[in-house]
Amino acid sequence: ASIDCVLNHARRRGISHNSSQIARSLHSCIAAGNHIAAMPRWRLSMLGLARALQHTTPRRLRTTLSAEAAYAELVLKTNRDADVSAESLSELLMECAGALSVSASDANAGTADEEAIFGEPPTDLDVFLDEDRWRSEAYWQSAEVRALFASESDAQAALRFVENTLGAEAVAGSKIDDLAKDVDWLAVQEAARPVVTVGELEILLPWHETSSDPSVASRQLRVEGGAAFGTGEHQTTRMCCEWLQETKFPAFYTMCDYGCGSGILALTALRFGAACAVGIDIDPDCVKAAERNRASNGFGVNEARFYLPSLDAGGDASSIAYVNKRFTSAPEGVAPFPEGELPCDVVVANILLRPLLALRDTILAKVRPGGALAMSGVRVDQVDDVLGAYASSFETAAVDREVDGWVLIACRGKL
């Protein structure tokens, strides 16, 4: 059972080593008591799992919350220059130490040292393809990791586990906060996430009730983000939703949501006049989430379809290699964007600067002549780069709106 647990974790991480290799590595790591920093990245997770599995009382990941439990929160600090990243620590707490949930945030939030992290992918191809590496490095200089446990004793055990596994430096400055026993934490969470209103659109989360008034329900969307980005709370998503509602398009227009995440923009377009929409995302989990949201909002597959990018998306070595890597690990039912699809009247690309530049030709090919393109995920200081790449293809191209340093660039005509 222990080896099965390790192998399942290895498969999720994309590790191709066979069971005997992993077992030998586990035993040698445990026997030697090696420090994490000296080992390859995949062995970091393996060592943590192995040590967790050595406990006399196996620790299993809990999936439900008990109303009787007096929850406790373990708070740890990490530093980007240290041996262990916030990502590695978070994974260790979730996979091996029995945490109910883990969150990471900027330890300097609200101070002059607060950092804005946008998660731009690297330009170096070898680093780009090592997604675990660059995502783990895309954290704040000083991060605060908070892990929720069912009891103070569980949190204390986890603290000892982290110290034994990663060393005393990993638990320096740690603390355990007791959380009130008689609080309905589910209700607290739901109250903290009310219905999101963007223009005439109401975005409902799973616990919100759909209106019994058809005229109101026709302007509501039920969205479950899961691992996908897009629940209407981020400035860029809101700007795109507003643009889709306020801009005049041809009757029964077609729409493409490039970088669809949860599918919220494609579904918004359908609520406000689009005849059909397609969504494209590099992450198979996002494609699956978007499909679930399509179904939960009553749209058929003839109205909305979601895909991975085409295998030649971007045209540059980084994009093609990355897309192909994603596609080879895609679950059943997730397909690449089919050849022969016609361009759309309206395209929205709510992604970051580097993907916008790398995917320029691919995105432009999705816009029909005379159509419209909206781009967000762009900061004010990046506008010139985007306009330099796209403006010449359109009759008009300019910043349409700005919120908190984020902009939406709208382009129309020509092509």
Side-chain angles (χ1 to χ4, degrees):
S2 298
I3 292 298
D4 286 343
C5 179
V6 171
L7 285 172
N8 287 336
H9 183 74
R11 292 188 189 103
R12 291 200 303 274
R13 305 298 290 171
I15 299 166
S16 59
H17 298 71
N18 62 39
S19 59
S20 60
Q21 287 176 310
I22 293 175
R24 286 196 299 271
S25 296
L26 284 169
H27 293 310
S28 63
C29 286
I30 296 167
N34 290 336
H35 273 261
I36 301 297
M39 293 188 289
R41 181 172 297 277
W42 73 268
R43 289 191 181 179
L44 165 60
S45 298
M46 297 300 102
L47 174 60
L49 277 170
R51 284 179 168 161
L53 291 166
Q54 281 188 313
H55 291 181
T56 52
T57 303
R59 305 186 59 78
R60 300 184 184 275
L61 182 64
R62 302 172 181 85
T63 56
T64 58
L65 301 181
S66 167
E68 294 76 26
Y71 298 107
E73 189 173 57
L74 172 60
V75 184
L76 298 162
K77 299 286 182 67
T78 68
N79 190 286
R80 200 156 53 205
D81 298 328
D83 292 336
V84 181
S85 68
E87 168 114 337
S88 299
L89 180 58
S90 298
E91 185 168 302
L92 198 65
L93 289 164
M94 281 296 293
E95 296 282 0
C96 311
L100 298 169
S101 66
V102 179
S103 65
S105 60
D106 187 354
N108 296 316
T111 73
D113 295 323
E114 183 175 359
E115 289 183 87
I117 302 295
F118 303 121
E120 289 273 11
T123 54
D124 181 86
L125 179 57
D126 290 336
V127 178
F128 185 70
L129 293 176
D130 187 358
E131 187 176 4
D132 285 342
R133 172 182 165 188
W134 62 263
R135 287 199 183 279
S136 69
E137 293 171 351
Y139 275 86
W140 303 273
Q141 178 64 37
S142 180
E144 183 176 82
V145 176
R146 292 178 171 268
L148 179 68
F149 292 90
S151 67
E152 183 178 356
S153 60
D154 281 355
Q156 293 282 5
L159 182 62
R160 292 192 297 271
F161 169 71
V162 171
E163 182 174 11
N164 291 337
T165 305
L166 304 180
E169 184 182 2
V171 299
S174 63
K175 63 177 182 176
I176 294 176
D177 294 331
D178 288 329
L179 303 179
K181 180 179 180 180
D182 57 352
V183 173
D184 185 340
W185 291 107
L186 183 59
V188 170
Q189 163 68 7
E190 292 177 358
R193 303 283 300 279
V195 173
V196 177
T197 301
V198 184
E200 296 182 20
L201 177 69
E202 290 185 353
I203 301 168
L204 312 181
L205 296 173
W207 52 84
H208 297 139
E209 295 290 333
T210 302
S211 174
S212 58
D213 183 341
S215 64
V216 175
S218 67
R219 292 293 185 263
Q220 291 181 322
L221 281 177
R222 182 170 299 282
V223 175
E224 183 175 357
F229 177 82
T231 53
E233 294 159 303
H234 194 269
Q235 297 93 325
T236 59
T237 310
R238 295 179 67 89
M239 287 191 291
C240 292
C241 285
E242 291 169 354
W243 184 79
L244 286 167
Q245 294 176 59
E246 297 169 9
T247 308
K248 187 175 181 178
F249 300 121
F252 307 111
Y253 67 91
T254 57
M255 185 268 191
C256 174
D257 180 0
Y258 207 102
C260 64
S262 67
I264 186 171
L265 299 181
L267 301 178
T268 297
L270 292 174
R271 279 283 189 256
F272 289 88
C276 62
V278 295
I280 301 168
D281 201 284
I282 193 65
D283 191 335
D285 289 333
C286 291
V287 177
K288 286 287 195 182
E291 281 289 348
R292 290 194 298 271
N293 288 326
R294 172 196 61 74
S296 67
N297 283 283
F299 295 113
V301 293
N302 61 322
E303 295 172 288
R305 305 180 306 281
F306 297 94
Y307 303 100
L308 287 171
S310 56
L311 297 181
D312 60 350
D316 65 290
S318 293
S319 298
I320 292 173
Y322 190 57
V323 169
N324 278 271
K325 178 185 175 184
R326 282 291 195 174
F327 183 60
T328 57
S329 62
E332 184 179 353
V334 178
F337 190 78
E339 295 182 9
E341 285 274 342
L342 295 175
C344 294
D345 299 307
V346 176
V347 175
V348 178
N350 184 23
I351 51 182
L352 296 169
L353 174 66
R354 289 180 189 166
L356 281 172
L357 299 182
L359 296 165
R360 174 188 178 275
D361 293 344
T362 300
I363 291 172
L364 289 177
K366 299 288 183 287
V367 189
R368 72 159 180 82
L373 168 65
M375 294 172 285
S376 196
V378 178
R379 301 290 294 176
V380 171
D381 61 336
Q382 299 171 334
V383 168
D384 289 345
D385 292 327
V386 176
L387 290 178
Y390 284 87
S392 62
S393 298
F394 294 90
E395 184 177 333
T396 62
V399 173
D400 183 85
R401 60 197 70 203
E402 174 189 340
V403 178
D404 296 336
W406 295 100
V407 299
L408 181 143
I409 296 173
C411 309
R412 301 199 73 163
K414 207 169 81 173
L415 280 183

